[in-house]
Amino acid sequence: SPMAFEHKIVRRVEFGDTDMAGIVHHAVFFHYMEAAETAFFRSLGLSIASRQAKPPVGWPRVHCECDFFAPLQFEDEVEIHLLVAKKKSKTLTYAFRLHQLKGKERREVARGLVVTVCVTLLGGKMKATKIPKAIADKIQAAPVRLLA
């Protein structure tokens, strides 16, 4: 099967995503990014809560950042575009582009970066580990021109 480096999902802003000002709270953008990551794994026939690997692996965040360009509001449609920015032996770095969709118009509202590390969970302890081959073989870094 081909290796993947990107995935897109579209979500509608829920009322509960917004704050007192009626705009999406900044922390919610990280939920959107995580939803795209989960969908990316699912699109590869994998699960982010990987029971495929023995021992099972998890993907805690070691770094998150986001730049905000414009607000999102209740009922807005938002496209979350995940790109694999880097793939190392134990880490995956994702770049995210979030666009508000209005008819044919697309407006970039935020840009995020998330670094996850592959860990084994044994006896409640996390230990960084090499990304299992079954997962690593399906994922590649995106072409540099797409990350610019």
Side-chain angles (χ1 to χ4, degrees):
S1 62
M3 293 172 87
F5 57 77
E6 68 181 335
H7 192 71
K8 289 180 185 177
I9 63 169
V10 175
R11 291 192 50 156
R12 184 143 329 248
V13 174
E14 306 280 341
F15 186 71
D17 294 344
T18 61
D19 61 18
M20 295 285 283
I23 62 174
V24 174
H25 188 271
H26 67 271
V28 173
F29 283 77
F30 291 103
H31 289 290
Y32 293 166
M33 293 182 222
E34 188 175 48
E37 177 194 9
T38 302
F40 174 58
F41 268 67
R42 195 181 300 121
S43 76
L44 301 175
L46 301 167
S47 172
I48 204 80
S50 176
R51 301 289 168 258
Q52 289 107 335
K54 297 275 182 277
V57 296
W59 300 91
R61 279 86 190 99
V62 291
H63 179 79
C64 295
E65 63 184 65
C66 193
D67 291 310
F68 304 95
F69 309 125
L72 283 172
Q73 295 171 312
F74 177 49
E75 301 279 26
D76 277 353
E77 211 173 16
V78 57
E79 177 194 83
I80 304 107
H81 184 187
L82 170 155
L83 289 150
V84 178
K86 282 186 197 143
K87 175 185 160 188
K88 294 188 180 169
S89 66
K90 296 179 182 179
T91 63
L92 288 171
T93 299
Y94 301 109
F96 294 92
R97 308 281 184 261
L98 289 86
H99 287 86
Q100 176 191 41
L101 306 178
K102 280 208 171 149
K104 289 202 160 55
E105 284 182 48
R106 299 170 86 252
R107 176 167 74 149
E108 191 171 24
V109 293
R111 227 167 234 229
L113 188 82
V114 173
V115 183
T116 65
V117 63
C118 187
V119 301
T120 48
L121 302 157
L122 293 169
K125 289 225 164 69
M126 281 189 199
K127 186 175 186 289
T129 189
K130 272 198 172 152
I131 299 170
K133 186 171 162 46
I135 298 171
D137 284 353
K138 295 188 174 192
I139 297 171
Q140 67 182 354
V144 176
R145 64 184 163 76
L146 293 182
L147 298 166

